Amino acid sequence: MKLFRAAAIAFLLVVCLAGLLANVVAPASCARQFREQPDAPPSHAHWLGTDDLGRDRFSRLLYGTRVSLFLAPAAAALAGVLAALIGGVAGLAGGWIESCLMAATDLFLSMPWLFLLVTVRALLPLDVSPWASVTITFALLGCLGWAAAARVVCADVRTLWSSDALLLGHASGSSGLHLLRWHIVPRLKPVLWAQFWISIPVFILSEANLSILGLGVAEPLPSWGSLLSELESFPVFTTQPWQLAPLFLLVATVSCFHLALQNQESWA
């Protein structure tokens, strides 16, 4: 199993490096159009052919990897910060504050995640610049993806706050801020770290769903979801199989994340 995990981590590193170096590796800009070669098959000049606008598919796949694979951690970090704040306040305060915050958390958890995401995104402006759409998409993911982690944080904080070690600290005269900084926060780091890594593949898939529906990253900036939206017709699977490259890359990346995280508690 360790061999599979090591291979998964190596694959993720290669994919991240390819996305990071998209400007160097890609044969052309993701928006450049080869107007004389629309819908061209794979060749030495275009490894995955071109789309209906003559844009190089391999270049768009690399730039799409950068968008999907590097901004999902930003959304996961935002969700982790919100979970730490909301769950931490609920666990420390207790009483009616905890009840209200956990009720809001349960409300978020009870709503269908994808439908809530699509509904909120549809209410926001759609005619925005590509990078503004990236910011909106992943900020939305982070702001709506904190609930499950917040409940975990709240339970851990409540348990730690009532533990014998902290009761002894209170009895010895230590302030609440001192106990929070030196005893609670360090013990929450592994939990938040695990939630961060678990959220990344979830947000990658969520962004793909939004972009397939036309509510994610705006053109001409590509993402894995916008590239997958081109696979709407069944003949693509038989006549143009090279268009399946984004699908294979998405499945392989998410699968490698799960393989790499199977024993995540040992290195978090």
Side-chain angles (χ1 to χ4, degrees), residues 149-239:
R151 180 161 283 284
V152 175
V153 171
C154 177
D156 284 351
V157 169
R158 192 191 313 117
T159 301
L160 290 171
W161 193 247
S162 59
S163 64
D164 293 339
L166 265 71
L167 289 177
L168 183 60
H170 280 295
S172 64
S174 298
S175 65
L177 289 177
H178 176 84
L179 295 174
L180 178 65
R181 177 179 179 182
W182 296 106
H183 294 278
I184 294 182
V185 172
R187 297 183 186 183
L188 284 179
K189 285 182 179 179
V191 176
L192 294 173
W193 190 245
Q195 292 295 324
F196 169 78
W197 284 106
I198 291 171
S199 298
I200 291 177
V202 175
F203 289 149
I204 290 175
L205 292 174
S206 300
E207 183 279 325
N209 286 322
L210 281 179
S211 294
I212 288 174
L213 296 174
L215 299 174
V217 179
E219 291 285 353
L221 195 65
S223 70
W224 284 348
S226 62
L227 296 175
L228 289 174
S229 64
E230 300 176 2
L231 305 179
E232 296 176 349
S233 59
F234 181 77
V236 169
F237 291 82
T238 55
T239 61

Side-chain angles (χ1 to χ4, degrees), residues 6-92:
I9 294 174
F11 177 83
L12 292 175
L13 290 175
V14 171
V15 173
C16 290
L17 186 61
L20 183 64
L21 300 177
N23 291 338
V24 178
V25 180
S29 169
C30 62
R32 181 181 175 185
Q33 298 180 10
F34 298 88
R35 297 182 183 274
E36 70 282 359
Q37 295 178 303
D39 282 323
S43 62
H44 291 293
H46 308 289
W47 291 2
L48 294 176
T50 60
D51 62 11
D52 54 353
L53 296 178
R55 297 174 297 189
D56 186 86
R57 291 187 184 278
F58 181 67
S59 298
R60 291 181 62 76
L61 181 60
L62 290 176
Y63 281 94
T65 299
R66 172 186 293 180
V67 171
S68 297
L69 205 55
F70 286 96
L71 291 181
L78 176 59
V81 170
L82 293 176
L85 290 175
I86 296 173
V89 170
L92 291 173

Side-chain angles (χ1 to χ4, degrees), residues 97-170:
I97 296 178
E98 179 184 359
S99 299
C100 292
L101 291 177
M102 288 300 100
T105 301
D106 291 338
L107 179 62
F108 269 83
L109 290 174
S110 64
M111 294 181 180
W113 160 255
L114 181 59
F115 291 150
L116 176 64
L117 192 60
V118 170
T119 301
V120 176
R121 179 65 185 94
L123 294 175
L124 297 175
L126 299 179
D127 54 340
V128 294
S129 66
W131 284 109
S133 69
V134 170
T135 304
I136 291 174
T137 299
F138 286 96
L140 186 61
L141 290 172
C143 290
L144 296 179
W146 55 268
R151 180 161 283 284
V152 175
V153 171
C154 177
D156 284 351
V157 169
R158 192 191 313 117
T159 301
L160 290 171
W161 193 247
S162 59
S163 64
D164 293 339
L166 265 71
L167 289 177
L168 183 60
H170 280 295

